[in-house]
Amino acid sequence: RAEPPLRKHAREPEPQASRTLTLSDARVTQPSMQRSYLAPSYVTGPEKDALALDLLADILGSGSQSRFYKTLVLDKKIAASAGAFYSGNSLDEARFGISATPRGDTTLGDLTAALDEMIAAVIDKGVTEDELALAKRRVLAASIYQQDSQGGIARAFGSALTSGLSIKDVQEWPQRIQTVTAADIQAAAKKYLIVRRSVTGYLVGDPPPARI
């Protein structure tokens, strides 16, 4: 067999403006929103930024102890759910995403504004040392629990190897995540969580509301 040619991947151009997409369908009974920010993966950008974004996603929107859940779901009661994610093992550019579902009479616009306010707070003031310590504990625990099954181990190594990382990268990731500081997370937020780098999608019923 001939050797496969070198794969050439088109790079996403630097975003110049934010974009919004609204989809409506009569079957939608609960509106929702999701926003994706263009961000580097572990192989397309500085590893320090990828590590920081991994922890930031956990602090903002991973579980009932996250900022989004405690503020929007429990305290303000304007969201039925809210979360964040980071797809750092992408082959090309990655996504840092946020999502939420409004509660009661809250509009998607009001909910989006609340999310924007919370992201702005991270950019302006960063995260606390307690939040950082808890996030590290959670992500490290998840990586340990993943080793309880052969499937989990295979997914960890497989996703890394297919995106250009090495076995050493996977084995040393727990030590590297421990080196992330609160300043690193704030710097990553300032660099990548900019509205012009994002696409915001709204899923609504049919007909769509007059004001989102």
Side-chain angles (χ1 to χ4, degrees):
R1 295 181 302 177
E3 289 296 322
L6 180 66
R7 292 184 294 180
K8 296 182 179 180
H9 299 272
R11 295 294 298 271
E12 181 78 17
E14 185 67 17
Q16 301 300 314
S18 62
R19 288 148 290 176
T20 302
L21 174 68
T22 302
L23 298 177
S24 63
D25 191 288
R27 293 170 294 180
V28 175
T29 59
Q30 176 64 63
S32 61
M33 66 80 62
Q34 184 175 117
R35 175 184 292 166
S36 293
Y37 297 88
L38 182 65
S41 67
Y42 275 90
V43 295
T44 63
E47 183 188 57
K48 181 176 69 173
D49 291 351
L51 293 167
L53 290 173
D54 251 334
L55 289 172
L56 179 57
D58 186 275
I59 291 170
L60 285 180
S62 180
S64 60
Q65 297 301 310
S66 67
R67 281 196 182 189
F68 285 171
Y69 191 89
K70 289 193 292 186
T71 300
L72 303 178
V73 177
L74 297 181
D75 295 342
K76 294 185 177 180
K77 295 180 173 55
I78 62 173
S81 63
F85 66 90
Y86 170 59
S87 57
N89 276 349
S90 298
L91 180 60
D92 296 310
E93 296 298 322
R95 293 188 301 151
F96 187 98
I98 61 174
S99 61
T101 301
R103 179 179 178 181
D105 296 329
T106 304
T107 67
L108 286 171
D110 293 337
L111 186 55
T112 302
L115 289 164
D116 285 337
E117 183 178 344
M118 296 187 69
I119 290 172
V122 173
I123 293 173
D124 292 340
K125 300 179 181 179
V127 300
T128 68
E129 292 297 332
D130 286 343
E131 287 178 318
L132 178 59
L134 287 173
K136 287 180 179 180
R137 188 182 305 169
R138 285 192 295 263
V139 299
L140 287 173
S143 70
I144 293 172
Y145 294 146
Q146 189 177 38
Q147 300 174 31
D148 287 346
S149 70
Q150 292 181 340
I153 296 173
R155 282 191 294 273
F157 282 97
S159 62
L161 293 173
T162 55
S163 64
L165 298 175
S166 66
I167 292 176
K168 183 180 179 182
D169 290 326
V170 178
Q171 293 173 330
E172 294 182 352
W173 183 85
Q175 290 76 36
R176 293 172 180 173
I177 203 76
Q178 290 281 27
T179 66
V180 178
T181 65
D184 293 334
I185 292 178
Q186 185 177 13
K190 287 182 178 180
K191 192 173 181 180
Y192 302 113
L193 301 194
I194 306 169
V195 174
R196 69 170 175 80
R197 299 180 59 85
S198 70
V199 178
T200 304
Y202 296 110
L203 180 63
V204 299
D206 190 21
R211 182 176 73 91
I212 289 180

